[in-house]
Amino acid sequence: MEWFYKFPHMDDDALRNLKKAIDDGFRSFTRAYGEGIENMFSPLQHFLMAAERFMTQTPWPIITLMILAIAWAGSQSVKVVLGCLLTLLAIGYLDMWDDTMRTISMILVCTILSIAIGIPIGILMSRSDRVQRVINPLLDVMQTMPSFVYLIPVVMLLGIGRVPGLIAVVIYAIPPMIRLTNLGIRLVDKDVLEAADAFGSSSWQKLRNVQLPLALPTIMAGINQTIMMALAMVVIASMIGVQGLGQPVLKAIANQYFTLGIFNGLAIVGIAIIFDRVSQAYGHRLQKHREVVHG
């Protein structure tokens, strides 16, 4: 009756050989193509370094005014702008400014990459049910895979550093961008599309002038979720060399520094709230504009 209590499984030697064959194959691929893949991501590294230098070397009053101006442009709310100002002042007063700027630069680059990659894939999914059926299971895997697992292949290919961490963060954070772009375009009213067809719009003109503008509030929700997931990945990515607020948190965990971990964790929360409130307010404004224009 042993089979009843112990689930039948592959022979131990066969399972060990299977795992060894997969590991050896991936190591061979890394040795053969790792340097080429690393060179391919060299422009990304320069972009990330430039963004980090700008955020850390620009005087703090200028950065603060820029962030407040962006918050006002997105939200048109005095309360949101005031909340952003108080959060930034608290972060700077508690000597977390440089780490915060590094984290913001990382999130900025991750968001730009996610938009540049996710929107075209979402458009492609919205135009083909077959493509959607293929990509949806991949997105399910990406969203349910434990975040630590993303670090393994990236580190084996590219080693330790900012770029491997950036790639891991983008892979973890991009699914909402793809899903909500696809959803937003598919939810565009069929009557509006028929009217565009009646006026002789081409497929590209419908996408550019009708579908994307009407789907923009949903796409903004995807950007919001992407930013939130990227911030959640910052601490984990610090394990492979991503600088910013995640490294002090990791240090606090390793050395049991309660206050260090709490302060930097609250700084991450503060940044997340700023991004969330501004992007949500902008999305709501777009939604109201769509309701006024299109009834």
Side-chain angles (χ1 to χ4, degrees):
M1 293 293 290
E2 183 180 357
W3 65 269
F4 189 76
Y5 294 98
K6 186 176 181 181
F7 200 95
H9 62 83
M10 183 186 295
D11 179 71
D12 290 341
D13 291 335
L15 183 59
R16 190 180 304 111
N17 291 334
L18 175 63
K19 293 178 180 178
K20 185 176 183 299
I22 295 173
D23 288 340
D24 290 344
F26 192 77
R27 290 192 185 98
S28 298
F29 176 82
T30 301
R31 286 192 292 268
Y33 302 103
E35 185 175 354
I37 294 174
E38 187 173 355
N39 293 333
M40 183 177 67
F41 287 110
S42 180
L44 185 60
Q45 182 176 10
H46 294 316
F47 180 35
L48 180 58
M49 293 295 292
E52 185 174 311
R53 281 196 300 269
F54 176 78
M55 295 299 296
T56 56
Q57 295 180 11
T58 303
W60 70 266
I62 297 176
I63 293 294
T64 302
L65 288 175
M66 287 177 55
I67 294 175
L68 295 180
I70 293 171
W72 173 255
S75 66
Q76 297 285 303
S77 170
V78 175
K79 290 183 179 179
V80 171
V81 173
L82 184 60
C84 292
L85 177 61
L86 293 177
T87 301
L88 292 173
L89 291 177
I91 286 172
Y93 189 72
L94 295 174
D95 195 24
M96 295 181 292
W97 184 263
D98 287 343
D99 284 337
T100 301
M101 293 303 104
R102 292 188 181 96
T103 298
I104 290 177
S105 65
M106 169 68 73
I107 299 304
L108 174 65
V109 175
C110 288
T111 303
I112 292 173
L113 279 176
S114 297
I115 292 172
I117 298 171
I119 288 182
I121 296 175
I123 292 172
L124 188 62
M125 288 177 65
S126 70
R127 298 199 161 211
S128 171
D129 291 337
R130 181 177 299 177
V131 172
Q132 181 177 245
R133 285 194 296 269
V134 171
I135 295 181
N136 266 337
L138 298 177
L139 296 177
D140 292 339
V141 172
M142 291 169 67
Q143 289 188 287
T144 54
M145 182 76 71
S147 50
F148 285 95
V149 177
Y150 289 118
L151 305 182
I152 300 171
V154 173
V155 170
M156 290 181 69
L157 277 173
L158 302 173
I160 302 293
R162 292 180 178 87
V163 173
L166 176 66
I167 294 171
V169 172
V170 169
I171 294 173
Y172 180 78
I174 200 173
M177 186 76 258
I178 299 174
R179 286 189 187 276
L180 289 173
T181 299
N182 172 42
L183 178 64
I185 293 175
R186 286 179 177 270
L187 289 178
V188 172
D189 195 340
K190 296 294 188 294
D191 293 337
V192 177
L193 296 179
E194 289 176 3
D197 289 331
F199 280 101
S201 299
S202 66
S203 180
W204 166 248
Q205 288 173 330
K206 279 196 301 182
L207 176 65
R208 185 186 63 184
N209 299 325
V210 179
Q211 291 174 301
L212 285 179
L214 293 180
L216 200 53
T218 307
I219 294 174
M220 283 301 303
I223 294 174
N224 175 278
Q225 292 304 306
T226 294
I227 293 172
M228 296 300 104
M229 293 185 71
L231 279 166
M233 188 69 175
V234 163
V235 176
I236 297 171
S238 67
M239 298 175 64
I240 60 173
V242 173
Q243 295 183 345
L245 292 169
Q247 286 194 335
V249 174
L250 192 64
K251 181 181 178 181
I253 294 172
N255 297 280
Q256 299 182 8
Y257 295 152
F258 175 76
T259 306
L260 180 66
I262 290 296
F263 278 10
N264 284 270
L266 289 175
I268 294 174
V269 172
I271 297 173
I273 291 173
I274 289 174
F275 281 122
D276 179 68
R277 295 297 183 270
V278 173
S279 59
Q280 277 196 6
Y282 185 61
H284 289 155
R285 286 176 56 211
L286 289 174
Q287 185 70 37
K288 290 180 180 178
H289 174 73
R290 186 176 73 170
E291 290 172 355
V292 169
V293 173
H294 300 283

